[in-house]
Amino acid sequence: MRIRSSRGATDVLVERGALDALGTALPARIPGFSSTPVLVHDAASPKGLVARALRGLERDGLEPSAVALDLRGGKTLAQAEALCHALLERDCDRTAVLIALGGGAVSDLTGFVAAIYLRGVRYVNVPTTLLAQIDASIGGKTGVDLPEGKNLVGAFWPPTVVVVDPDVLTGLPATEWSSGFGEVAKYAVLAEDLLALLEATTSSPTNDPALLDQILAMCVRTKVRYVEADEFDRGVRRALNLGHTIGHALEAATGFALLRHGEAVALGLRAEAHLSRALGFASSEFEQRVVRLLRRLGLRTTIPALDVDRVLAFARHDKKREGDAIRFALPVAPGETRMVDVAELGRIADAVRSLFESA
Ligand SMILES: NC(=O)c1ccc[n+]([C@@H]2O[C@H](COP(=O)([O-])OP(=O)(O)OC[C@H]3O[C@@H](n4cnc5c(N)ncnc54)[C@H](O)[C@@H]3O)[C@@H](O)[C@H]2O)c1
Ligand SMILES: [Zn+2]
């Protein structure tokens, strides 16, 4: 798949075994590919993946070097600066190519450094979590967190190539699978064919490689479609915020400790389907369909009761805020969403409460 943007094109490859063939795949797609690419990875990510990527590059005569990021404190400006120093140490000039190997934290940070180092160098994403493969690695949003909040500093800087190798997901911890499945559920609400596939299947994507490949391709295609239609996230792409207004607020209200991002998105999807039905947009049949989908994907659909006012306060501080109303991308029907500013906070509170275990 190819995404055309104001900064050129991004090729997105979905292929098993691609991790071992980076040395042929990348130079074939990137004119003037550096003979000394810099592989940036999470110090905590599986060593085997880093070794395979390096071998795949060396086999084709390239001389890669590796930089390990310490992301235990999240993606920070300090880590971005450390990466800049590592690039200077290697005499990287404007022809440099960075290769981000890892989850969304690695691609967000590496992409951000690619945007600012020498006012911009090229980079490639090789995502290794489900969430990064279907979401974070595609679309050109890069950045780091500040102590005050997530993704507060960043740039639109699309990668030149994204290499999605489903094989690298073997060994992904269960919580990371769930986190990715939360975003899969979001795409299923946006893409009717994916919803139908997930409803019809009797096997689990974690042990059915053919099914997983199909799901990955459909999710990636959906993301590509929205990104290409709205490069800078000012219009139709906001549909990708489905489940995120309440999802983000739940993450923040629970101190980013209880829920992985995609798990919060799944809960957000359920609450927003409830809200959409309460406001008369979605049918109760569709709301039930969303809940069944989340269960099929093994996602939690309830949480212990928490302070609703706190959740609403975080939702109000969400970037999507407009005046006093809270802006939502609400699920309406398969493949259909609606941007709505909801001023009736009581309705939103009810939707959050519908998630509580005792509800
Ligand atoms: N730019 C975007 O459009 C966008 C979209 C969504 C999320 N994000 C960002 O992505 C980040 C979250 O990404 P994530 O969910 O991938 O989490 P992550 O990058 O924090 O990775 C999660 C964990 O999985 C480990 N890991 C990675 N690959 C593995 C593998 N193959 N096997 C075993 N362990 C592996 C990592 O070492 C890490 O500990 C957040 O910073 C979020 O803001 C960005
Ligand atoms: Zn998300």
Side-chain angles (χ1 to χ4, degrees):
M1 280 164 270
R2 170 166 286 189
I3 309 169
R4 280 156 293 259
S5 73
S6 61
R7 298 216 187 267
T10 300
D11 280 343
V12 187
L13 257 87
V14 182
E15 204 175 292
R16 281 193 184 262
L19 180 70
D20 303 300
L22 292 176
T24 38
L26 299 183
R29 286 176 177 80
I30 303 178
F33 189 78
S34 163
S35 60
T36 54
V38 181
L39 184 83
V40 185
H41 65 94
D42 182 341
S45 69
K47 298 279 170 290
L49 295 181
V50 178
R52 275 172 59 195
L54 289 172
R55 249 184 282 130
L57 292 160
E58 284 159 359
R59 230 191 348 247
D60 285 271
L62 301 169
E63 293 169 30
S65 64
V67 179
L69 301 171
D70 179 357
L71 295 173
R72 282 172 300 179
K75 45 177 212 230
T76 59
L77 273 176
Q79 283 300 308
E81 184 181 352
L83 177 53
C84 290
H85 290 304
L87 298 178
L88 284 169
E89 238 168 64
R90 287 164 174 74
D91 287 329
C92 288
D93 62 16
R94 298 194 59 192
T95 65
V97 179
L98 315 186
I99 302 173
L101 176 76
V106 177
S107 53
D108 275 16
L109 190 145
T110 306
F112 177 58
V113 167
I116 59 173
Y117 181 74
L118 303 180
R119 298 198 182 86
V121 297
R122 292 169 298 176
Y123 76 108
V124 169
N125 279 335
V126 185
T128 64
T129 63
L130 176 58
L131 184 132
Q133 290 197 337
I134 60 176
D135 194 1
S137 68
I138 304 164
K141 284 191 192 175
T142 72
V144 295
D145 302 332
L146 293 182
E148 291 90 338
K150 295 203 160 232
N151 301 312
L152 289 177
V153 176
F156 278 95
W157 192 255
T160 311
V161 179
V162 179
V163 179
V164 175
D165 180 350
D167 274 343
V168 307
L169 300 180
T170 322
L172 202 62
T175 48
E176 301 304 328
W177 277 109
S178 299
S179 189
F181 284 144
E183 299 287 356
V184 169
K186 173 188 82 178
Y187 288 119
V189 173
L190 293 170
E192 215 171 344
D193 53 351
L194 176 57
L195 180 62
L197 173 74
L198 293 171
E199 287 178 339
T201 185
T202 50
S203 55
S204 158
T206 50
N207 45 35
D208 182 341
L211 176 65
L212 177 63
D213 290 4
Q214 249 182 313
I215 292 170
L216 284 171
M218 285 173 161
C219 291
V220 168
R221 204 175 300 131
T222 308
K223 175 101 193 214
V224 164
R225 179 157 56 87
Y226 281 99
V227 168
E228 189 160 63
D230 179 12
E231 182 180 350
F232 297 110
D233 201 11
R234 296 201 177 110
V236 290
R237 182 166 167 182
R238 292 186 184 170
L240 296 174
N241 285 330
L242 207 62
H244 281 67
T245 305
I246 291 181
H248 277 153
L250 291 172
E251 274 185 285
T254 52
F256 296 93
L258 183 66
L259 302 161
R260 289 290 297 151
H261 173 71
E263 296 175 311
V265 170
L267 291 163
L269 272 175
R270 179 181 188 179
E272 292 178 16
H274 181 102
L275 178 63
S276 183
R277 199 251 309 133
L279 293 171
F281 301 129
S283 65
S284 61
E285 195 275 326
F286 182 61
E287 181 190 353
Q288 283 314 306
R289 222 171 143 185
V290 171
V291 176
R292 279 198 304 272
L293 170 73
L294 301 176
R295 293 204 178 112
R296 282 190 83 101
L297 287 167
L299 289 157
R300 63 194 285 181
T301 53
T302 58
I303 42 166
L306 45 89
D307 183 350
V308 178
D309 289 333
R310 210 171 127 73
V311 178
L312 289 189
F314 279 109
R316 268 197 306 275
H317 288 115
D318 195 277
K319 289 186 292 250
K320 290 168 280 292
R321 173 179 99 115
E322 209 115 303
D324 279 325
I326 300 179
R327 171 154 290 188
F328 287 88
L330 290 180
V332 171
E336 199 190 323
T337 57
R338 191 176 171 130
M339 300 301 307
V340 193
D341 291 326
V342 182
E344 302 145 276
L345 297 187
R347 296 259 196 205
I348 305 171
D350 285 345
V352 172
R353 270 186 222 106
S354 75
L355 300 171
F356 293 169
E357 272 152 17
S358 51

